[in-house]
């Protein structure tokens, strides 16, 4: 069911319920008020008749009966019966052939309660006791009549209320439908605009209008989300094109080397040379694909990565060992002096393979981008973090480049003479984020750089 129809239904239901409750309450209130008023009238009639008959002994009863029948509007005609102490009718204002119902139990109840209001077959009945002050005799008076006037009035009110109720419900449906349509118009507009946005035009934006209401907020949030999606699409596109470019270079080199080799017959020494060169290019390809795989792995999110307590100093020694084996010209100094004595201060909750990759990249860069191939490592800690600083005296990084070097495939101009693909630091950044830490760079061109990795310890 559409929201518009739903709102109209609910709106109508609520209004109809309120109107029905209000009308029913009003009807019953009127009915009880009328009943009370009519009973008061009957009571007055009973008392007047009693006073005329009992007090004014000279009143002609026949005349009284004639007056009773002719002077009162037929709507207010009441049958009045006066009983003596033995329940014998002393006076009645009705014709002798009129049938009138009353029971001895009713008379008994009136005698007990002194005053009684009751109803019998559409008629209101009032019974009361009256004492003649002269003779001290007790009389029982019954007055009864049908409240035709009130019943007609109530019937008319009921009719008017029903017509009013039906009209009000019809009007509520019409207004509810128009009103909900108006309120939902901006949502329908957003709906139409959104349906026109495809993956190719993520730069399109929803109009937010002039208002600052919830709909404008929704459109704003949606626009922000579109911008984020667009940015991440572009990042992905540039990543794929950068990655294919990086992969194509060694592949093209391999292809041309093979072509050159096949041009003519070669000596076995020449073949060996060609194979060595092919091996180097192949090695570059393996390194690059490994890097891309690691980047993809670290991008997969925190959930798939298992973290366990890990001693940072031990990881650093392992990395030092491996790098020195791979690159005989590298020098890596780890500063033992400042290593904290408390194990907890150098223990983090981390993933060993990722943390090794992190320091491997940083230390490798420090050696690679400096003349003396020296990386100095310092471990320290404070109350909450373990800090590892990797320092070199190499080519340095300009202020402008310091932010950009963490983007995939970004390489500084002064690094163009050094081998690399520009993905190591983006992997480092992701790894540090996964471990809820951060990296801070301090660097000056031609003087050197220091990368501080700050990770929360256990
Ligand atoms: P790669 O070293 O393979 O190019 P990285 O992502 O590790 O890729 O580094 C990105 C870029 O940051 C490098 O190309 C280089 O320009 C710069 N860089 C990284 N580390 C250093 C360093 N220690 N000294 C100078 N420049 C560095």
């Amino acid at each position: 069911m559409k929201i518009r129809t739903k709102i109209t239904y609910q709106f109508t239901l609520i209004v109809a319920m309120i109107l029905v409750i209000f009308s029913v309450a009003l009807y019953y209130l009127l009915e009880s008020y009328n009943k009370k008023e009519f009973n008061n009238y009957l009571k007055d009639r009973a008392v007047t008749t009693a006073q005329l008959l009992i007090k004014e002994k000279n009143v002609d009863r026949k005349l009284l009966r004639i007056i009773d029948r002719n002077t009162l509007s037929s709507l207010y005609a009441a049958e009045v019966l006066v009983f003596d102490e033995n329940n014998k009718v002393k006076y009645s204002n009705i014709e002798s052939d009129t049938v009138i119902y009353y029971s001895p139990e009713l008379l008994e109840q009136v005698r007990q309660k002194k005053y009684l209001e009751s109803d019998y077959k559409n008629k209101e009945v009032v019974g009361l006791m009256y004492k003649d002050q002269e003779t001290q005799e007790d009389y029982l008076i019954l007055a009864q009549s049908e409240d035709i006037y009130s019943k007609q009035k109530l019937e008319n009110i009921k009719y008017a209320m029903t017509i009013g109720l039906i009209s009000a419900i019809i009007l509520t449906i019409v207004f509810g439908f128009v009103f909900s349509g108006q309120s939902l118009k901006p949502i329908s507009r957003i709906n139409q605009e959104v349906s026109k946005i495809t993956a190719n035009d993520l730069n399109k934006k929803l109009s937010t209008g002039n208002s600052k209401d919830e709909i404008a907020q929704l459109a704003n949030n949606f626009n922000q989300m579109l911008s984020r999606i667009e940015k991440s699409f572009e990042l992905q596109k540039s990543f794929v094109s950068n990655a294919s470019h990086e992969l194509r270079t060694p592949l093209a080199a391999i292809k041309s080397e093979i072509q050159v080799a096949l041009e003519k017959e070669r000596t076995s020494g020449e073949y060996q040379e060609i194979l060595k060169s092919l091996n180097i290019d192949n090695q570059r390809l393996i390194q690059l694909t490994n890097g891309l795989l690691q980047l993809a792995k670290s991008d997969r999110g925190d959930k798939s990565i298992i973290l366990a307590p890990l001693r940072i100093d031990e990881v650093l020694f392992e990395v030092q060992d491996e790098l020195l084996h791979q690159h005989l010209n590298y020098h890596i100094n780890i500063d033992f002096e400042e290593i904290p004595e408390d194990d907890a201060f150098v223990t983090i909750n981390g993933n060993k393979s990722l943390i090794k990759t992190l320091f491997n990249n940083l230390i490798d860069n420090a050696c690679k981008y400096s003349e003396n191939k020296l990386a100095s490592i310092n471990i320290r800690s404070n109350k909450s973090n373990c800090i590892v600083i990797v320092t070199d005296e190499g080519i340095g990084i300009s202020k402008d480049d310091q932010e950009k070097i963490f983007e995939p495939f970004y390489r500084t101009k002064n690094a163009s003479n050094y081998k690399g693909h520009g993905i190591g630091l983006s992997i480092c950044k992701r790894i540090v984020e996964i471990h809820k830490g951060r990296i801070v760079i301090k660097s000056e061109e031609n003087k050197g750089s220091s990368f501080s990795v700050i990770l929360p310890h256990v």
Side-chain angles (χ1 to χ4, degrees), residues 361-362 365-366 368-369 392 395-397 405 410-412 414-415 419-426 449 451:
N361 285 342
L362 292 178
N365 279 352
K368 185 166 75 175
Y369 294 112
D392 65 63
I395 58 173
I397 306 155
I405 53 170
Y410 188 85
R411 305 199 74 215
T412 58
N414 59 357
K419 279 185 185 164
H421 304 285
I423 51 174
L425 283 184
S426 49
S449 319
F451 287 76

Side-chain angles (χ1 to χ4, degrees), residues 385-432:
N385 296 310
C386 177
I387 304 150
V388 178
I389 307 165
V390 180
T391 314
D392 65 63
E393 294 159 359
I395 58 173
I397 306 155
S398 70
K399 272 260 168 297
D400 289 346
D401 280 335
Q402 285 177 17
E403 276 286 302
K404 296 179 192 156
I405 53 170
F406 291 100
E407 288 168 16
F409 303 105
Y410 188 85
R411 305 199 74 215
T412 58
K413 276 201 185 107
N414 59 357
S416 54
N417 294 330
Y418 300 82
K419 279 185 185 164
H421 304 285
I423 51 174
L425 283 184
S426 49
I427 296 173
C428 291
K429 189 180 170 218
R430 253 324 267 149
I431 293 173
V432 171

Side-chain angles (χ1 to χ4, degrees), residues 126-138:
V126 167
L128 56 89
M129 297 302 296
Y130 185 85
K131 195 177 209 45
D132 186 356
Q133 296 301 329
E134 276 179 31
T135 60
Q136 290 300 309
E137 272 179 279
D138 280 327

